[in-house]
Amino acid sequence: MQSQRMDRREFLQSGLVAASLIAAGRLPLLARDASLAPKNADVQYRYGLALYLSGDNEAALQQLQLAIDLAPDVETFQTALRLLKEKMNQ
């Protein structure tokens, strides 16, 4: 239970970082970073969160899944994808 709370906290913190980047008009820069570092799971995850915060849930799903494919043992990535899917099914 404690690890799940930590994952959610990390998810929210990452979301705040992504939100601040979007607010600064940096979504295109995150997209560029994701294309330049296609095997970097952290970059793909941050881009996925940014896509979610920009309202593009389908693209966010794909990007978060890519992060999971690159780093299947990172629970934070799995939690983010699960929470997004739950939100979309509401």
Side-chain angles (χ1 to χ4, degrees), residues 3-45:
S3 65
Q4 187 175 14
R5 281 191 212 137
M6 181 59 80
D7 288 339
R8 288 176 189 237
R9 188 176 318 130
E10 290 172 3
F11 173 69
L12 292 174
Q13 289 171 342
S14 296
L16 292 174
V17 170
S20 68
L21 293 173
I22 290 170
R26 296 191 180 159
L27 185 59
L29 295 176
L30 286 169
R32 182 206 62 193
D33 291 348
S35 69
L36 291 174
K39 294 187 180 188
N40 185 314
D42 290 325
V43 170
Q44 303 308 320
Y45 170 71

Side-chain angles (χ1 to χ4, degrees), residues 51-53 55-62 84 87-88:
L51 288 167
Y52 161 70
L53 292 169
D56 192 348
N57 290 341
E58 291 300 325
L61 281 175
Q62 292 175 358
L84 178 54
K87 183 179 187 289
M88 291 175 70

